[in-house]
Amino acid sequence: MAPLPTFSRRVVLQGAGAIMVSFSLRSLPAGAEEAAPSKLPGSLAVDPHLDAWIRIAPDGGVTVFTGKAELGQGIGTALLQIAAEELGVPVERLTLVTADTGRTANEGYTAGSHSIQDSGGAIRNAAAQLRELLITEAARRLGLPSDQLRAERGKVTAPDGQELPYAELAAGVDMHVAARPRSVFRDPGSFTIMNTPMRRIDIPAKVTGGAAYVQDLRLPDMLHARIVRPPSYRAALKSVDLDAADKMAGVVKVFRDGNFLAVVAEREFQAVKAMRTLAASAEWDETAILPAAGRLADAITALPSRDLYILDRHDGTGQAARTLEATFTRPYQSHGSIGPSCAVAQAVDGSLTVWTHTQGVYPDRAAIAEMLHLPLDKVRCIHVPGSGCYGHNGADDAAADAALIAMAMPGRPVRVQWMREQEHAWEPFGPAMVTKVSASLDAAGRIADWRYEVWSNTHSMRPGAAGSLLAAQHKAESFPVPAAKPLPLPEGGGDRNAIPLYVLPNAAVTYHFLPDMPVRISAMRSLGAYMNIFSIESFMDELAGAAGIDPVTFRLNHLDDARARDVIRLAADRFGWADRGKVVAGRGFGFAFARYKNLAAYCAVAMEIESDTGRVRIKRVVSAVDAGQTVNPDGIRNQIEGAILQSASWTLYESVTFDATRITSVDWATYPILRFRDVPDSVEVHIIDRPGQPFLGAGEAGQGPAAAAVANAIADATGLRLRDLPLNAQKLRKQLREGL
Amino acid sequence: MNRRFTVLRLFACLIVLLGIAIGVVAALAWYSPITPIDRMPADRFDARLIRQGADLAALGDCDTCHTAPNGRSFVGGLPVPTPFGTIYSTNITPDPETGIGRWSEAAFRRALRQGVDREGRQLYPAFPYDHFTRLTDDDVTALYAYLMTRTPVRASAPPNALPFPLNHRFVVAGWKLLFFNPGTYRPDPAHDAAWNRGAYLVEGIGHCGACHTPRNALGAEKSSRFFAGGEAEGWTAFPINAAAASPVPWNADSLYAYLRQGWHGLHGVAEGPMAPVSADLAGASDGDVRSIAAYVASIIGETAPADRPEGRTLAAMTRPFGTGAKPQSAGSQAAAAPAVVGDGAGATIYAGACAGCHESGRPVPYGGTDLSLSTALNGSTPRNLINILFEGIPAADGARAPIMPDFGAVLTDTQLADLARFLRAKFTDKLAWTEIDAAVRQARSRRATAEASTSAAAGNP
Amino acid sequence: MMDLTVNGTTHAIDADPDTPLLYVLRDHLGLNAAKFGCGLGQCGACTVMVDDRAVLSCVVPIALLAGRRVTTLEGLGTLDQPAPIQQAFIEEQAAQCGYCIAGMMMRAQALLQATPQASDADIRHALEPHLCRCGTHMRILKAVHRAAALMRAHDPVRGAL
């Protein structure tokens, strides 16, 4: 790989400094929550004022504001690239402020691969319009027409060489103006910052022991708290000995509010020891309410459902010659953050500040305020990065834990960190799902009709309401869990990507939305798309096999979207799909494709695996992705590589386990994930840049295709079609034997 | 094994072999080469036969010896330490030059049945043909089909490091004359088919006795002390006959679960050379593993009630299975810090490093083994305990299984010894071990050797 | 009270002897790199070096460490003067969320100090106790290879061994 351009030390420090700045307490800027006009691009609809997104200080320093959060996906760097390019300022001069209810616009959740589309869109438009304002001001001062002036490297330059720095011009520009719906963007052909691989601003601190995470936040006089969670979902505290823990060294407080138990100590390990002592003394009444794990698919499809007929298309053509059908299942799966959730909260004079790695500072604030009966303006939530979350993990719950305890310890900051088993047992899992598909082929090997059904809970129980927080559920004044709602299409939740992108003249798709949630669930990276793409793309291979057509050709035969065809061809080409050779025993090739949400990035994955005795090892992966206009190509590659490996882990190994009462997968011994011995020999990501096209979110584009590529490669290698996730060695061996 | 004893063995070996070798062996040692064949294409083999072979390869744990550390399956190159020197496993992929690609099935059969390679050379009994000779024709054919359809890899094993005269293969013929009893398994009509299936697998492809039966001075299994316990690669292979040392008696069910998943709550975790055995048995057929378990259970036999408390009674006295049992859920993964557990450095180390998991009150894999149930702690030598402390229990390959961190890097030799002494005294009613310091030194030196061989291999690409 | 030597400095630590090293590093000494991941020795996020060997600090009580040398990622290099392993991870952009990375780097550092010519198989084997959830594995492997090359360049004599 060619060396990437390097950030100067100054920017590195500013990157790290941005965290420090956001730790300081400042009041809300006026107008941050005014009603927004519609029709503005990206998140400008949330806050149309240019200075909500970018401000130029008198010293020429530029601050970029985003309501989105850096989750390790590298959006901080990409957003700065966008702002620097459109504004015409070296990246080194930019400082980024991320999600903070005290400082940034309300951009909701950082989720769904939306950040570059929404926040990037707002910042790009704001930067472009600010640049126009600076040029207009320069034109006024110089008495020259605007179209003769160039805005680059932090200054406006006239044809005769006269220069006016932005710092000087900014004084004469009112930046608190509403954005116009349309902007004049720079020509992609002239890009010098966007579409070039840029080193991430957050990595230097992360590899030198800098304070990079909320876990590293140490405020003066800070206390350490640990929670004692109930052993199971509806457990009620029968009895507990608070005194024993209270008497332990360093313990400042033993806290009980209903079923919510916590200890607070001066030192962190003192809190851990007190927690263990408190936990050992707690007696709980438990209720066996969990579904039968051995027959999970039956339990899921037996839940009451609201049926949503999301596609019903018939043109009367197509003569079915042969019909195939199949059922696919997915277990509950865990986000599995490596760092258990953590938060710091401090109550001062009735106002509460919470430092949290939540994906949504505004919704989290609303939920915490409701739980504590505080007005919204008395609660401030500041995002500080945590360990990767991949969706709604324990972050919001930890924030609520810290908030509840901090209110009882006025003045002193309280840091809560969950233990490993608490994260594993109490985080909201990715929902279990079942899909059924049947389709007919005509005599020519085309799909004559297609019927698809998916059973799933919602894929978001994120806060907004207090009842979505564990602390609010467990405290004596218990808030009820809010009713689940299906997420609307076109993005969808359980039905995300349930409608194939393929040309299917006769197709029906039904979403059986399941309001009852026997297991705590919420959003996990790519939501239902992972399972729907796994199902659809597995089944496409089954159909291709039945038709006797190469799987890549079969897909192309059913696609008229030119960009979809391009990524498929590129992945197949770079993989050497056509020349992949005849099958050697135990070796197989798999291919899969999807356009995430049918409206974000396109991604195709080709894969070679080895499976001798049931154990599957991925050898080589080649993928192609079209994310529209590229911002940071290295960032996209990193995201797609990660998506493929994470999905391989979900697909090959992972399932939450439980008995009738309790979650039993509580650590990495009982919830195994990918380790280095199973990491592929190589993973390639090829990007198709689309200059001038809209940004397409790419962070979750790889999960679905990677999963189906694994299944298709296993089928190619062994002749066995596995449809029940995870596709682990145990199942493969069982099928291999039964296939005898 | 101390050096003096090894020298004595070698000396004994020399005398015996010299006597025999001169007259008889020359004639016995000679076998004709078997004509090489062109490599058989993979599609020549029946898929059903290949799967049968895959099952046998799993039951025989072939890939463990025929795979170098961090190497590819069946490529060989693993150094196998024996009391007589180091033997390197060979490449059994179908590579024509360096593997068995040019071996006919007849040549393969001769190697398994008679311990002679395609070219007619004697094979050292580190390759357990004294067991594989029991295989049926059909199973040999299946194993051949499986191995000939693996990915061929070109790689030669390093030369064996054996002293004279053992470096001359004809001496093996003398060894065979004394100890080798060829012939397929003969079912015992006194037992049913399942027992006989188990016996066939254990005596034949499974070659359990290779580790679990003690060997004589010339490295042959002592048939009179069948399954009385042996050793392998610096580990003690515990007795699996009436002398089995586990506090709770084994039975067919617990053996089955242990062999299948690599751990059992009432016994502990398969470690050292046993770990890959159970990992492979996870992929074997259910019926075969049950047969193996039933057969081994019959060898262990009913334990005299006077010897040990009833298994259930003992289990009920432990944390994970007794009244202190904790649910495997949030809030009680690690145990509350134990009150004072005893005096001395060992007690302090135990309290700080071990008790959190081992006193969690939860059965494996949700918590650590209750140490009063551990076979390693109750066994006759401290070697396995020391080895586990050194190496830990690595995560299984994508499967639910216990994990234990290794402490070899952080504990000093003195700390390891203190801890071992403390654990033996606290959790068993057995006599104190006498050879702890030696076991620690051996484990430390084995680890250093393993690391040096990694460096050496890396330095010589 | 006990003396603990971390990154070349000896500190008087006021903590119970059963306190795991990790909590002392983070809470008493204010160091960030070693992370709490599981507290059970299952994930590798807390890895530091004790006398040049990689050790899981979450399961090592400080009572064991009298007279030993503890090294954390902070002790290898700084933003201004990154160590080869740090430079390599920056150059390969080998992080997503980065939470697991400090532990991985310490394991790699210990490996490369002992085995400058570590093969790809050696590196994968050494990293086996470490979990990464973002799927950054390919870059981590590349970064360790790059670090090995940088370290050999810094120390050609040892590197040629």
Side-chain angles (χ1 to χ4, degrees), chain A residues 229-231 273 276-277 279-280 421-422 425-426 582 584-585 587 610 612-613 615 619 653 655 657 659 662-664 666-672 675 677-678 718 733 736-737 739-740, chain B residues 42-43 47-48 51-52 54-55 72 74 146 149-151 279 282-286 326-337 362 365-366 395-403:
Chain A
R229 287 265 175 253
K273 282 167 101 170
R276 290 175 182 169
T277 302
E421 63 275 22
Q422 295 173 337
W426 279 100
K582 77 183 184 68
V584 178
R587 194 186 306 175
E610 231 176 32
D612 260 357
T613 54
R615 175 183 173 222
K619 304 271 297 167
Y653 312 117
S655 60
T657 58
D659 58 23
R662 309 181 189 104
I663 303 298
T664 55
V666 293
D667 59 11
W668 302 117
T670 49
Y671 190 87
R675 285 182 185 265
R677 83 178 89 178
D678 293 317
T718 64
R733 284 167 182 152
L736 276 167
R737 192 154 289 105
L740 282 170
Chain B
D43 55 12
R48 191 191 169 90
R51 279 183 202 151
Q52 186 185 335
D55 268 4
R72 300 183 60 178
F74 304 118
Y146 175 70
T149 48
R150 296 312 88 201
T151 309
S285 98
D286 205 57
K326 289 285 177 193
Q328 56 277 28
S329 67
S332 55
Q333 175 77 17
R362 301 151 64 158
Y366 308 111
D397 189 7
R400 225 158 251 122
I403 299 173

Side-chain angles (χ1 to χ4, degrees), chain A residues 204-285:
Chain A
K206 289 175 176 175
V207 301
T208 52
Y213 306 91
V214 69
Q215 283 87 349
D216 303 332
L217 178 57
R218 295 178 187 87
L219 299 181
D221 232 11
M222 188 169 81
L223 293 166
H224 291 274
R226 285 293 183 281
I227 314 299
V228 172
R229 287 265 175 253
S232 56
Y233 285 142
R234 296 228 187 116
L237 189 59
K238 262 196 310 199
S239 67
V240 64
D241 175 8
L242 301 179
D243 289 345
D246 201 36
K247 285 184 195 127
M248 292 176 69
V251 172
V252 178
K253 190 175 184 69
V254 178
F255 185 93
R256 179 184 175 180
D257 183 349
N259 293 318
F260 184 91
L261 281 175
V263 294
V264 186
E266 295 287 349
R267 287 292 189 189
E268 189 169 9
F269 194 62
Q270 291 170 337
V272 172
K273 282 167 101 170
M275 171 202 76
R276 290 175 182 169
T277 302
L278 188 62
S281 82
E283 297 286 333
W284 304 85
D285 271 328

Side-chain angles (χ1 to χ4, degrees), chain A residues 584-627:
Chain A
V584 178
R587 194 186 306 175
F589 301 92
F591 196 94
F593 155 83
R595 183 183 189 190
Y596 184 47
K597 299 191 264 195
N598 291 336
L599 50 74
Y602 299 82
C603 182
V605 174
M607 187 179 288
E608 178 184 352
I609 66 139
E610 231 176 32
S611 174
D612 260 357
T613 54
R615 175 183 173 222
V616 172
R617 198 172 100 77
I618 299 172
K619 304 271 297 167
R620 188 167 70 98
V621 186
V622 175
S623 66
V625 60
D626 171 353

Side-chain angles (χ1 to χ4, degrees), chain B residues 66-383:
Chain B
H66 284 283
T67 305
N70 309 333
R72 300 183 60 178
S73 289
F74 304 118
V75 177
L78 178 82
V80 181
T82 76
F84 311 104
T86 299
I87 293 173
Y88 289 86
S89 65
T90 53
N91 182 347
I92 54 168
T93 72
D95 179 62
E97 305 307 322
T98 60
I100 59 168
R102 309 199 69 191
W103 289 38
S104 63
E105 190 180 319
F108 182 75
R109 184 181 311 276
R110 186 172 73 176
L112 260 61
R113 286 274 173 73
Q114 289 169 275
V116 175
D117 76 0
R118 187 194 63 75
E119 291 162 90
R121 295 180 306 167
Q122 297 285 346
L123 293 168
Y124 291 108
F127 173 58
Y129 49 81
D130 50 338
H131 291 276
F132 297 159
T133 189
R134 308 274 177 263
L135 289 180
T136 63
D137 284 353
D138 188 42
D139 279 351
V140 173
T141 303
L143 208 48
Y144 180 72
Y146 175 70
L147 289 174
M148 293 306 270
T149 48
R150 296 312 88 201
T151 309
V153 177
R154 194 185 167 88
S156 297
N160 296 330
L162 292 170
F164 178 83
L166 301 178
N167 56 344
H168 290 282
R169 287 178 178 268
F170 71 85
V171 302
V172 174
W175 185 91
K176 283 182 180 171
L177 191 67
L178 292 171
F179 305 115
F180 183 46
N181 169 25
T184 54
Y185 175 77
R186 286 189 302 277
D188 180 346
H191 291 281
D192 65 8
W195 186 94
N196 272 297
R197 174 73 181 162
Y200 167 70
L201 295 172
V202 166
E203 308 295 333
I205 190 74
H207 65 284
C208 306
C211 295
H212 285 281
T213 298
R215 291 176 184 270
N216 64 21
L218 296 178
E221 291 175 29
K222 293 180 187 167
S223 50
S224 60
R225 302 200 55 214
F226 181 59
F227 280 177
E231 63 179 83
E233 299 162 44
W235 292 72
T236 298
F238 290 116
I240 45 173
N241 58 13
S246 67
V248 174
W250 287 100
N251 58 34
D253 285 341
S254 59
L255 277 166
Y256 167 79
Y258 176 85
L259 292 172
R260 195 74 165 159
Q261 65 192 11
W263 43 268
H264 190 278
L266 292 174
H267 297 277
V269 183
E271 252 312 293
M274 192 62 199
V277 174
S278 62
D280 269 348
L281 289 178
S285 98
D286 205 57
D288 282 349
V289 181
R290 284 207 182 276
S291 298
I292 290 171
Y295 172 70
V296 174
S298 81
I299 301 295
I300 292 175
E302 297 296 319
T303 308
D307 285 358
R308 288 174 226 145
E310 183 73 13
R312 217 175 291 147
T313 315
L314 182 63
M317 289 159 60
T318 65
R319 281 173 172 269
F321 303 97
T323 49
K326 289 285 177 193
Q328 56 277 28
S329 67
S332 55
Q333 175 77 17
V340 179
V341 290
D343 291 331
T348 309
I349 297 167
Y350 173 76
C354 318
C357 290
H358 286 281
E359 300 211 0
S360 67
R362 301 151 64 158
V364 287
Y366 308 111
T369 305
D370 186 303
L371 294 176
S372 62
L373 297 171
S374 159
T375 310
L377 266 182
N378 281 278
S380 55
T381 83
R383 278 199 294 189

